Amino acid sequence: MSRSFLLRNPSVLIFLAALAIFTLSVTLLSEAFGSDVISTSFVKTLGKTLCLCLVALAMDLVWGYCGILSLGHFAFFGLGGYMIGMWLMYARTELIVADSLANAAIPPTDQEVVDAIGTQIFGVVGSSDFPPIWAFAHSLPLQLLMVLLVPGLLALVFGWLAFRSRVTGVYLSILTQAMTLALSLYLFQNESGLRGNNGLSGLQNLPGVTASQAVVSIWFLWASAFALGVGYVVSAWVVSGKFGSVIRGIRDDEARVRFLGYSVEGYKLFIFTFTAIIAAIAGALYYPQAGIINPGEVAPIASIYLAVWVAIGGRGRLYGAVIGAAFVSLVSTWFTGGQVPSVPLGFYTIDWVDWWLVLLGLSFVLVTLLAPKGIGGLFDLISGRLAPNRHGADYGPDKGSLQEEEGRG
Amino acid sequence: MSNLLEVSGVSVTFDGYRAIRNLSFQIGSAELRAIIGPNGAGKTTFMDIVTGKTRPDEGRVTWGERSINLLKMNEARIAQEGIGRKFQRPTVFEDQTVFANLLMAVRNPRGSFACLFYRPTAKDRTRVEELASEIGLSDALSRKSGELSHGQKQWLEIGMLLAQEPRLLLVDEPAAGMTLAEREHTTDLLKEAAKTRAVVVVEHDMEFVRRLDCKVTVLHEGSVLAEGSLDHVTANPQVIEVYLGR
């Protein structure tokens, strides 16, 4: 992280400054600091939004920069959430069990404690034994490691199989959809060992923490902001050098990169796994704020939303992805929360809770057709970023390559 | 002189159509060679085989002093071995600057981790500047390569090839769409390159081939019809019939 890196990428400094100002002002206006301007639940919404920005950043790296339209990155996001959720549930239940057994005449053995925890957690799916996948749930460091390892390994294996066979374009997108669907269906089963469709709940209560939710929400806001900041700097660093050149080359013309001697499959696998890990970290910070995770979270539609955010924000630029995710998910919260007044048309009343998806879909189509650079493209009006004139042709023969409208300033 | 590349008895069939039939071809380590032939003669398929894009049904392709089997390698490995390829239409990375394009091609470790932690050294910068002046793009280093003219893109691509420091250059119709002055410049670049490495040029344009002044291989229906100097092959009655006569 040399000085010249920041000088060459002034948008990184601007972004970090904006993020810091945002986090500070939300903190000062929150209930935790005695002000009532921003409610605790809205602080949580903002904290969750920061996590969504982070996963959008990952999506932009893999799609906007490398041209791989992955429609499965929410699987990694969800897995990250599940991994941290396992520890949160175990540790909190352990405290409750220890409390209730403390008054027993005979002190409980370790095995009795573990059995009691198992009954508490898995009673809902009619079981009381810990499945093998919970082997590390008692330890925070080990389970944090799982946050990185499980999604990382899944991405590594999936990516290796897919890229090695040179699956590209829409086929790869379908394959990633199938992956996230399969994961979701698997988790829905009670036998999966992750409480089936009940999912993991009560994640907002940190074990051993007595601070109020108002304070905890601020902790998570800061943690999310920190992760987003670090993620942004690392992503900017990754795409700034020759590595960035190569992956953008892969996006625009994969065959040419191959004939330069770069192993395209290796690079794709690297970026796919790397972004899966970023997504997992985002998920691990998101679900303790959401409080609950269930298999519905990794349904195929979630990953498609992710692509929509990045497309609306402007793919191929990091701040575009962040802006897109923040803007669309906040507006979505607003619309689906029933806070937008309905529009009476006399014969029909447009209720935005129902019509929001139509509006989102419509704006996605309009952005793709009329302003392919998305919201991020507005910044070009200021900076006057110039792009080559291709007279209507796209930048490369590959399916993920930039269209001319996306490149033009 | 031992051969750098040796292709022997290679055949390829696409959906029953035999694009290459029992083709054999050799080139030395510092030689300029032109390949001519009518459309569908298998010129591009030949390049695809050598660069690993297409796997032949039978035959052998061996490379270098140790006679490595190229058929076992993928495109990236073959490129790392020292075979560079220039496509028919200029393919440069249009969204990126001329400098970035050249830097990507400069010979350096190609692995993803090596690349991630790579920062251009003074030596690499000098190399890029040398190449840029060689291909006449010194003033355009910071421009996006998509803004360049067609001829300039062709040169940039040749420059990227030279930056790879390949031992064999495969060039597909380098003069297409170039002005007369640009053609002369291209001929000089190729002749210069052929002093230290093998260069194979696929070309339609007879004038351009004549200017290259080198051994010519005529392909027809997937195999070699004639080989020799341009005057020699153009005097061959079979060649006149299938190619020049049209």
Side-chain angles (χ1 to χ4, degrees):
Chain A
M1 251 33 66
S2 61
R3 242 184 77 232
S4 64
F5 165 71
L6 289 178
L7 283 180
R8 274 183 290 120
N9 299 278
S11 72
V12 173
L13 271 187
I14 297 173
F15 178 80
L16 290 181
L19 184 64
I21 291 170
F22 165 80
T23 314
L24 266 177
S25 18
V26 171
T27 307
L28 293 177
L29 296 175
S30 71
E31 282 179 32
F33 277 73
S35 160
D36 270 347
V37 183
I38 301 180
S39 71
T40 298
S41 73
F42 196 61
V43 171
K44 283 188 178 181
T45 302
L46 292 175
K48 286 191 288 183
T49 304
L50 292 178
C51 298
L52 296 179
C53 293
L54 183 57
V55 68
L57 208 58
M59 182 67 187
D60 197 22
L61 279 185
V62 77
W63 181 35
Y65 281 87
C66 200
I68 307 168
L69 176 52
S70 162
L71 294 177
H73 263 58
F74 243 75
F76 308 124
F77 185 84
L79 271 180
Y82 263 105
M83 290 305 130
I84 197 67
M86 283 158 80
W87 176 77
L88 283 168
M89 267 201 102
Y90 186 98
R92 198 172 57 88
T93 315
E94 189 179 25
L95 289 180
I96 294 170
V97 166
D99 250 9
S100 67
L101 290 181
N103 305 325
I106 310 166
T109 63
D110 286 351
Q111 189 54 46
E112 277 171 340
V113 173
V114 171
D115 286 346
I117 299 170
T119 313
Q120 280 286 324
I121 294 181
F122 297 109
V124 69
V125 289
S127 160
S128 62
D129 296 328
F130 273 104
I133 50 168
W134 285 71
F136 303 121
H138 60 277
S139 154
L140 178 60
L142 284 178
Q143 204 58 39
L144 283 177
L145 207 60
M146 290 293 122
V147 168
L148 306 179
L149 283 182
V150 172
L153 279 178
L154 175 65
L156 194 68
V157 172
F158 177 89
W160 186 73
L161 290 171
F163 298 136
R164 194 191 52 138
S165 333
R166 305 239 167 127
V167 182
T168 52
V170 69
Y171 300 102
L172 187 92
S173 305
I174 292 171
L175 216 56
T176 54
Q177 279 272 281
M179 175 196 71
T180 188
L181 179 64
L183 182 71
S184 163
L185 292 178
Y186 173 73
L187 290 174
F188 263 121
Q189 297 180 312
N190 286 348
E191 295 76 35
S192 69
L194 289 164
R195 306 206 331 155
N197 65 343
N198 305 289
L200 308 179
S201 53
L203 308 183
Q204 74 279 20
N205 304 310
L206 301 185
V209 171
T210 49
S212 69
Q213 281 295 312
V215 177
V216 171
S217 67
I218 293 296
W219 292 354
F220 270 103
L221 179 78
W222 278 82
S224 308
F226 179 75
L228 179 59
V230 171
Y232 194 93
V233 173
V234 170
S235 302
W237 178 74
V238 164
V239 299
S240 72
K242 194 164 81 162
F243 190 89
S245 277
V246 174
I247 61 171
R248 278 181 291 154
I250 291 173
R251 173 191 68 197
D252 291 341
D253 192 344
E254 193 174 305
R256 184 75 184 89
V257 178
R258 232 175 239 135
F259 288 122
L260 277 177
Y262 292 98
S263 156
V264 168
E265 289 68 39
Y267 280 79
K268 281 185 171 178
L269 189 56
F270 182 100
I271 205 81
F272 193 74
T273 309
F274 176 68
T275 53
I277 291 174
I278 296 182
I281 295 172
L285 284 164
Y286 179 93
Y287 288 104
Q289 303 182 68
I292 182 164
I293 178 168
N294 61 48
E297 300 285 325
V298 296
I301 187 70
S303 298
I304 294 178
Y305 277 134
L306 184 57
V308 171
W309 298 340
V310 173
I312 289 181
R315 68 182 178 137
R317 55 181 94 206
L318 297 174
Y319 55 85
V322 172
I323 292 171
F327 178 73
V328 181
S329 68
L330 284 177
V331 171
S332 165
T333 308
W334 189 50
F335 271 100
T336 54
Q339 286 146 293
V340 184
S342 305
V343 183
L345 295 177
F347 59 94
Y348 185 79
T349 307
I350 295 180
D351 179 12
W352 287 112
V353 176
D354 299 331
W355 280 85
W356 157 242
L357 276 185
V358 177
L359 187 68
L360 179 64
L362 201 65
S363 41
F364 175 57
V365 172
L366 288 179
V367 164
T368 314
L369 287 179
L370 303 177
K373 292 204 289 181
I375 303 173
L378 296 175
F379 289 86
D380 289 349
L381 300 178
I382 308 167
S383 68
R385 188 164 104 161
L386 225 64
N389 187 358
R390 289 284 282 120
H391 307 288
D394 54 22
Y395 279 142
D398 280 351
K399 292 196 181 79
S401 60
L402 281 188
Q403 300 302 300
E404 189 190 17
E405 292 80 5
E406 289 176 275
R408 197 158 35 191
Chain B
M1 188 171 64
S2 71
N3 289 326
L4 179 68
L5 176 77
E6 200 160 326
V7 177
S8 49
V10 164
S11 299
V12 185
T13 309
F14 295 125
D15 295 332
Y17 171 71
R18 293 187 69 192
I20 297 279
R21 305 167 193 214
N22 198 20
L23 176 77
S24 295
F25 178 90
Q26 298 88 28
I27 189 165
S29 52
E31 190 186 339
L32 182 60
R33 179 77 63 92
I35 295 183
I36 60 173
N39 284 331
K43 301 179 302 261
T44 306
T45 312
F46 164 73
M47 288 201 171
D48 284 348
I49 290 170
V50 173
T51 51
K53 197 178 171 195
T54 303
R55 296 253 176 273
D57 304 327
E58 51 187 89
R60 289 190 311 129
V61 181
T62 53
W63 165 259
E65 290 73 20
R66 292 184 291 123
S67 292
I68 306 168
N69 181 6
L70 285 188
L71 299 179
K72 288 250 160 65
M73 299 181 177
N74 64 24
E75 294 102 311
R77 275 292 295 132
I78 290 175
Q80 286 170 21
E81 277 299 323
I83 297 182
R85 176 176 187 176
K86 194 205 157 298
F87 290 84
Q88 208 161 334
R89 68 184 190 85
T91 43
V92 294
F93 301 108
E94 312 222 341
D95 188 34
Q96 304 188 38
T97 61
V98 172
F99 183 85
N101 268 280
L102 286 170
L103 190 66
M104 224 191 293
V106 168
R107 195 173 178 85
N108 268 314
R110 296 298 206 220
S112 36
F113 284 94
C115 196
L116 188 59
F117 295 103
Y118 169 84
R119 287 295 172 257
T121 59
K123 190 169 137 262
D124 293 340
R125 284 179 191 283
T126 332
R127 179 86 184 107
V128 167
E129 276 154 25
E130 273 170 24
L131 284 163
S133 74
E134 208 172 322
I135 54 174
L137 290 174
S138 289
D139 300 331
L141 273 177
S142 59
R143 284 175 65 193
K144 286 208 170 167
S145 60
E147 300 168 14
L148 302 177
S149 76
H150 184 83
Q152 284 174 315
K153 281 182 200 167
Q154 297 274 38
W155 281 341
L156 174 57
E157 199 179 0
I158 294 174
M160 286 166 74
L161 272 185
L162 297 176
Q164 279 177 266
E165 296 174 21
R167 297 182 62 199
L168 169 64
L169 263 174
L170 299 170
V171 191
D172 205 349
E173 296 196 22
M178 280 191 174
T179 66
L180 195 62
E182 286 173 333
R183 273 159 190 251
E184 274 171 15
H185 188 170
T186 310
T187 328
D188 295 343
L189 271 174
L190 292 173
K191 278 180 159 174
E192 183 62 35
K195 283 179 183 161
T196 51
R197 68 198 86 214
V199 180
V200 176
V201 182
V202 167
E203 188 53 73
H204 268 303
D205 187 331
M206 276 301 167
E207 262 319 297
F208 189 79
V209 174
R210 188 170 296 283
R211 209 175 283 131
L212 287 176
D213 188 27
C214 65
K215 194 170 164 185
V216 177
T217 300
V218 185
L219 286 190
H220 177 58
E221 291 182 342
S223 49
V224 176
L225 190 66
E227 206 164 62
S229 72
L230 186 61
D231 293 331
H232 173 77
V233 299
T234 47
N236 186 321
Q238 272 181 299
V239 174
I240 296 173
E241 191 190 332
V242 304
Y243 185 44
L244 301 166
R246 291 185 194 182

